[in-house]
Amino acid sequence: MGSLLILERLSTRVFLWMSNASHMVLLAGVLSALASLLAVGALALNDFRSARANDLSHATMLARILEDQATRTFETAELVLEALAIAPALNSVTADPRRMEEALTQALTGLSFLRSLAVLDPGGRIVASTQKGDAETFLDMSRLGGKAIFGRGILGSLTPGRSLQALRLHGVAPPAPAGVAFVPMLYGYKNEAGHELTLVALVNPDSLSNFQHLTLETDSFDSVVTSYGGQVLATSGAAAGFMGTWVHQRLPVFTQYLPGKEHAAYMGAGVLGENQIVGFRVSATKPLLVIVEESSRSAVQRWLREARALLGIGIALVLLVLGLTYVVWRSVRTREFARRAVDAAHARIARNERELSVLMRSVQELIFRTDADGVITYVNAHWTAFTGDAATRARGQNLRDIVVPLSRADVARVLNPTSPEGVRTCQVVLNLGESKEMMLQLAVVPLLSEGRVTGFAGSAVDVTERWIAQQQLQAQLAFQDLLLETNPLPISVTDDQGRFVLVNKAWEHYQGWQRAKVLGRELVSCLPADEAKVHQASNVQLLRWGGRALLEIKVRHGDGSRRDTRIAKAAIEDEHGRVTGVLSILMDVSEFREAERATREARDAAEEASRAKSEFVANMSHELRTPLQSILGFAELGMLRGRTQPKLAEMFEDIHLAGKRMLTLVNDLLEVSKLESTVGTFHLERIDLRGVVRPVIRELEPLLERSHLMMDVDLSDTPLVAKADPLRFQQVIRNVVANAIKFSPPGSTITLQGFMDPQGQAHLVVQDEGPGIPESELETIFEAFVQSSKTKDGSGGTGLGLAICRKIVEAMGGQIYARNVPASGAAFHIILPARGQTETLPASLELE
């Protein structure tokens, strides 16, 4: 019972507190301030999440740029070694060390990213080098990176030192300054005498670091280039202390993402710390990895600097709400005190005018009479209808005391005994108590006796509804003015004569004009001639036809600059539907347009670089084919003439095989140049695909026998009719089956099926029993220069075959895709539609 009594008393006190208007205002103000604070916090949180997503995307983009540069650097080094391997100065039987060094020095000219070039014999002896004093030095080949591979460049580990003397087998290596190192690239080849030699290029990691520093100069990101195994090869500066160290065991890049994902961004451990924004990308052709990262703390500090305005506006909004709450609370408190004073005065009103009571009851207006001092001596029955109080309570009250303070001056004017006016009128606000007010229209006449004012008689009409409507209209107009002034977009209104009738503060700042100087003036006298002409033309159409319009022009800003501005216009109509003016809203879109221009310029630059690369590849490939044909011809001639000398015939056979491998590489390069240009037209014919497929299988039978594989061809007994280019389709079958042979284990079977599906399309399936393809790579293996992660060692070729197949099949209106077989291996599906008539189809094999 005691707790219930306490609860009842508490609820009574809360009710009494809530019934007080000032307390309600205070509570509403505090709740509004809390709501504003929560809204600002939500906006700040959303802005922070957007900034974090932008940082991750930016890190990914920077990683892609730096990976491309690093890959090109090492590819260029490999290309130089390939060219030197076939140079007469290094390949000739009579080549001496002096001529070799001259050729190496000439090749090194202009290659700032290479420290030196050298030729080694199988024993690790330096035959020739661009670094003076290196010749005849024996090197520790195990530290250099192992045995070179013929016809392909391999990378070694980062080695401290300035030259190959750092790897000498005997003696003490010369000291090297701190931070000076190189990355060796080895390329094996045989000279004309059949001697195995190794070309070595020492790549300067500082060239990679310089490019990283220039790329990230304006960003707060740092970058690291590592080997695929995790050794740090180059940094942008902040991570210089990690050069040569192995980071693969502590970074999620190596422990969680590779080899499943070759590029991604995440929040977590990086090279420089545990709480980093990290983006990485793996090179498609080299065992390299680029990591770009930024401290999460730096990102938060940058966001706080950028969000300073938002936070300031939020705090100002909360303070504004609290200030307005205080002002309203003080006003309500004052009104409560005034109401109490009026209630006390009502107790003193007690006068009657009984002689006029019957007459006054029949009048529909409030009739009253006062003495010369304004004290009410009589009111009719309508007093009760107006106030709800008995008429007797009104008597004895002064008329000035029952109106609000703002109306007392008007009451004093109409009750002035010395005024010569006869009928006097005014509007007063009657205070009815409990925060209720009534607007009355008073008409008062003085009562004279012997030339002296002895009192006043008057009537009152209730005009409260009209007064409230006027107040609401004024409040709405004030709110609209507030919205207009606080709107961040420049807004103006012109009349039907083209004169400014309204502008907001944002317009003043944007146009550089003060409001007092433009209102009433025509826009042609305030705006530049070209802007005014556009405005006038649009305004004429809106004034004539109404509706809305959207423009975009260059506008002269208040600071003198020209801004790209989008202008939204709308016709303003009056209550009769006539257009009386035009509303104009300006939006600055300069930053958007500048971003579009920057994007377009970057795309044009990338396309120009791609075109130059394609031309270079095509020209180099054509230049290489001429000497290769001679090499192959003489090798075949030597094989024929050397049949009686097995050792000589074996040497010519080695030369012939190496030349064929080189020719295959050149043909791949030519195919790349074709993929990046328009091939021409496809000559489609209505053919039976069975007759196209079987010759390709017979062509590949020697390769099947050498690999100890079986080929099961199961083609439909009915014709596999489709519209296709026979030669191009054979190229597709040859590439797909060759891939199956390459990755199938000895003793397994490759199956080729062909049938017509229910849609009337020719459907071919090539299935092997190899290692299969990771699910995440079933689509990416059809992209140019992309290989499956299971063939990252290079056995998968150049990564062009499947990309060429997809382009050819899609150009013929078909599709090609890969699926894993549940047991083992992969299946490649090729689908071609049957067309209605003979046609020659233009097709572009441009590489995407």
Side-chain angles (χ1 to χ4, degrees):
M1 292 296 293
S3 61
L4 291 176
L5 182 60
I6 294 174
L7 182 61
E8 182 179 358
R9 290 178 179 176
L10 181 61
S11 62
T12 302
R13 291 183 179 180
V14 172
F15 175 77
L16 293 175
W17 189 85
M18 294 290 289
S19 62
N20 194 316
S22 61
H23 294 166
M24 290 294 295
V25 169
L26 189 61
L27 178 61
V30 173
L31 292 178
S32 299
L34 290 176
S36 302
L37 188 62
L38 290 176
V40 172
L43 287 175
L45 179 60
N46 183 63
D47 185 67
F48 178 78
R49 289 176 177 174
S50 300
R52 181 55 52 85
N54 290 337
D55 289 340
L56 290 172
S57 177
H58 191 53
T60 304
M61 181 193 70
L62 291 175
R64 180 175 182 177
I65 294 173
L66 297 177
E67 176 273 323
D68 181 69
Q69 187 271 341
T71 299
R72 292 186 180 209
T73 298
F74 285 99
E75 286 179 346
T76 303
E78 184 176 6
L79 187 61
V80 170
L81 297 180
E82 290 177 2
L84 288 172
I86 61 173
L90 276 72
N91 203 24
S92 173
V93 177
T94 59
D96 57 7
R98 184 184 60 79
R99 290 183 59 195
M100 288 184 177
E101 290 182 356
E102 291 177 354
L104 294 175
T105 303
Q106 184 178 3
L108 188 64
T109 303
L111 301 177
S112 59
F113 60 89
L114 295 181
R115 290 193 183 278
S116 64
L117 296 171
V119 178
L120 309 179
D121 64 10
R125 181 177 63 89
I126 300 177
V127 179
S129 173
T130 58
Q131 192 74 27
K132 295 187 178 300
D134 283 357
E136 301 303 323
T137 300
F138 285 87
L139 303 181
D140 186 350
M141 296 300 290
S142 61
R143 294 174 59 194
L144 186 61
K147 183 176 178 58
I149 299 176
F150 292 105
R152 187 160 69 93
I154 62 172
L155 294 179
S157 301
L158 182 72
T159 303
R162 191 184 298 276
S163 67
L164 289 174
Q165 290 290 337
L167 301 175
R168 62 188 303 163
L169 187 61
H170 305 291
V172 179
V180 176
F182 59 84
V183 179
M185 174 175 280
L186 283 68
Y187 187 92
Y189 77 100
K190 292 183 179 181
N191 62 10
E192 293 180 355
H195 296 153
E196 295 182 0
L197 298 173
T198 301
L199 279 167
V200 180
L202 303 187
V203 179
N204 184 6
D206 291 342
S207 63
L208 302 178
S209 299
N210 293 337
F211 182 82
Q212 295 176 62
H213 178 73
L214 292 174
T215 303
L216 304 176
E217 186 174 6
T218 59
D219 285 306
S220 57
F221 286 88
D222 294 297
S223 64
V224 173
V225 177
T226 73
S227 65
Y228 197 76
Q231 185 187 30
V232 178
L233 303 180
T235 71
S236 61
F242 292 92
M243 286 287 291
T245 62
W246 296 85
V247 296
H248 61 283
Q249 293 183 347
R250 66 184 184 88
L251 294 189
V253 175
F254 299 94
T255 61
Q256 299 178 15
Y257 290 93
L258 294 180
K261 287 189 177 180
E262 297 189 348
H263 58 86
Y266 65 90
M267 290 289 303
V271 176
L272 296 176
E274 294 299 323
N275 192 11
Q276 302 286 100
I277 297 173
V278 181
F280 71 90
R281 191 174 186 89
V282 179
S283 171
T285 59
K286 298 298 178 185
L288 299 174
L289 173 68
V290 176
I291 302 174
V292 176
E293 60 183 78
E294 179 189 27
S295 170
S296 180
R297 181 178 180 182
S298 300
V300 172
Q301 292 175 349
R302 183 177 68 252
W303 175 80
L304 288 175
R305 291 193 298 270
E306 295 173 352
R308 189 179 302 163
L310 174 63
L311 297 177
I313 292 174
I315 295 173
L317 177 61
V318 173
L319 294 177
L320 176 62
V321 172
L322 292 175
L324 290 176
T325 301
Y326 177 75
V327 171
V328 174
W329 177 75
R330 287 291 301 273
S331 175
V332 173
R333 292 280 291 179
T334 302
R335 186 180 303 170
E336 289 175 349
F337 292 144
R339 185 191 64 191
R340 295 191 185 103
V342 171
D343 291 341
H346 284 171
R348 299 189 304 268
I349 299 175
R351 298 288 185 271
N352 62 350
E353 292 274 344
R354 293 186 180 88
E355 65 272 15
L356 296 177
S357 61
V358 175
L359 177 63
M360 293 301 101
R361 289 191 186 98
S362 63
V363 179
Q364 298 299 315
E365 299 176 355
L366 174 65
I367 303 298
F368 64 92
R369 194 173 73 183
T370 70
D371 61 13
D373 295 326
V375 177
I376 297 175
T377 59
Y378 171 79
V379 292
N380 67 349
H382 277 284
W383 174 265
T384 303
F386 279 8
T387 64
D389 289 337
T392 55
R393 297 187 59 183
R395 300 185 186 104
Q397 298 189 64
N398 195 300
L399 186 58
R400 287 188 295 269
D401 295 334
I402 64 175
V403 298
V404 299
L406 293 177
S407 299
R408 290 173 183 173
D410 294 329
V411 172
R413 179 178 59 80
V414 299
L415 297 181
N416 184 6
T418 62
S419 176
E421 298 180 16
V423 179
R424 308 165 187 182
T425 60
C426 69
Q427 287 186 344
V428 298
V429 178
L430 187 64
N431 193 337
L432 301 179
E434 298 181 358
S435 301
K436 294 182 180 179
E437 297 177 343
M438 179 181 294
M439 175 67 74
L440 299 177
Q441 179 75 35
L442 298 184
V444 179
V445 295
L447 300 176
L448 301 176
S449 176
E450 297 178 357
R452 183 174 60 87
V453 176
T454 59
F456 297 90
S459 63
V461 179
D462 185 5
V463 294
T464 304
E465 293 184 359
R466 184 179 65 184
W467 173 61
I468 293 176
Q470 290 176 346
Q471 282 190 325
Q472 291 177 345
L473 178 60
Q474 291 175 356
Q476 182 178 0
L477 292 175
F479 179 68
Q480 291 177 352
D481 290 341
L482 178 63
L483 287 179
L484 181 67
E485 286 300 302
T486 58
N487 196 316
L489 296 178
I491 299 175
S492 64
V493 176
T494 55
D495 59 14
D496 55 356
Q497 301 299 319
R499 295 186 296 263
F500 286 105
V501 296
L502 185 147
V503 297
N504 66 349
K505 287 186 179 180
W507 189 93
E508 292 182 86
H509 172 72
Y510 198 81
Q511 297 286 175
W513 281 87
Q514 295 182 1
R515 185 177 318 187
K517 294 183 179 180
V518 298
L519 294 182
R521 295 179 58 181
E522 295 184 357
L523 58 85
V524 295
S525 63
C526 302
L527 302 179
D530 55 341
E531 296 180 30
K533 184 177 180 180
V534 175
H535 279 283
Q536 283 182 317
S538 179
N539 290 354
V540 168
Q541 295 295 323
L542 291 173
L543 290 171
R544 177 179 299 177
W545 306 109
R548 300 181 180 182
L550 188 63
L551 313 172
E552 185 169 331
I553 62 173
K554 290 278 189 180
V555 173
R556 185 181 65 189
H557 193 265
D559 59 7
S561 62
R562 303 285 288 183
R563 302 283 183 90
D564 291 311
T565 305
R566 178 170 291 180
I567 305 174
K569 289 179 173 287
I572 302 175
E573 299 179 350
D574 60 12
E575 66 273 12
H576 303 294
R578 294 192 299 266
V579 179
T580 59
V582 176
L583 170 69
S584 301
I585 303 176
L586 284 63
M587 181 182 294
D588 189 350
V589 295
S590 301
E591 293 183 359
F592 297 103
R593 296 295 174 261
E594 183 64 27
E596 290 177 354
R597 285 191 287 270
T599 302
R600 185 168 54 252
E601 291 173 359
R603 184 182 65 250
D604 294 342
E607 291 176 353
E608 176 62 22
S610 177
R611 184 193 62 78
K613 183 199 70 175
S614 299
E615 290 182 357
F616 172 78
V617 171
N619 293 336
M620 286 297 298
S621 300
H622 281 293
E623 292 296 329
L624 290 172
R625 293 186 72 174
T626 300
L628 278 176
Q629 295 296 341
S630 299
I631 292 173
L632 291 174
F634 281 109
E636 291 174 356
L637 181 60
M639 291 168 60
L640 292 174
R641 295 185 176 182
R643 290 177 179 176
T644 58
Q645 302 180 38
K647 185 174 182 180
L648 181 62
E650 182 180 354
M651 292 172 59
F652 278 110
E653 185 178 358
D654 290 341
I655 295 173
H656 186 263
L657 291 176
K660 289 184 66 177
R661 285 196 298 270
M662 189 66 180
L663 183 60
T664 300
L665 178 60
V666 171
N667 289 335
D668 284 344
L669 292 175
L670 283 176
E671 194 65 33
V672 171
S673 65
K674 290 180 182 179
L675 282 172
E676 296 179 347
S677 63
T678 300
V679 175
T681 59
F682 274 59
H683 300 286
L684 303 183
E685 303 175 11
R686 190 176 180 83
I687 59 174
D688 183 353
L689 299 181
R690 298 179 301 175
V692 177
V693 171
R694 289 193 174 99
V696 176
I697 302 304
R698 287 194 296 270
E699 175 186 332
L700 296 174
E701 285 179 355
L703 185 58
L704 288 166
E705 292 179 0
R706 285 198 301 271
S707 300
H708 304 288
L709 299 173
M710 297 292 293
M711 186 74 188
D712 184 6
V713 180
D714 182 13
L715 299 178
S716 172
D717 294 334
T718 59
L720 299 177
V721 179
K723 296 291 291 185
D725 185 323
L727 295 178
R728 288 290 188 177
F729 187 72
Q730 284 186 334
Q731 183 180 359
V732 172
I733 297 298
R734 186 179 296 108
N735 283 348
V736 173
V737 176
N739 273 354
I741 294 173
K742 186 180 301 182
F743 300 115
S744 293
S748 61
T749 300
I750 299 174
T751 303
L752 190 153
Q753 292 180 316
F755 56 90
M756 298 297 291
D757 62 15
Q759 290 75 32
Q761 304 176 114
H763 193 147
L764 285 85
V765 181
V766 178
Q767 178 178 328
D768 60 42
E769 298 177 2
I773 304 168
E775 291 294 331
S776 60
E777 300 175 4
L778 287 174
E779 187 63 26
T780 58
I781 59 172
F782 289 98
E783 298 177 6
F785 306 107
V786 174
Q787 303 176 25
S788 171
S789 60
K790 295 190 176 182
T791 60
K792 183 61 70 175
D793 58 353
S795 63
T798 62
L800 291 172
L802 292 179
I804 296 171
C805 291
R806 169 162 284 187
K807 286 300 178 181
I808 292 174
V809 173
E810 289 180 350
M812 292 188 292
Q815 58 177 319
I816 179 173
Y817 58 89
R819 293 290 184 268
N820 280 321
V821 179
S824 64
F828 285 80
H829 296 255
I830 304 170
I831 301 175
L832 288 181
R835 301 180 185 270
Q837 68 272 358
T838 303
E839 56 184 330
T840 296
L841 177 66
S844 172
L845 289 188
E846 186 175 354
L847 189 62
E848 296 179 354

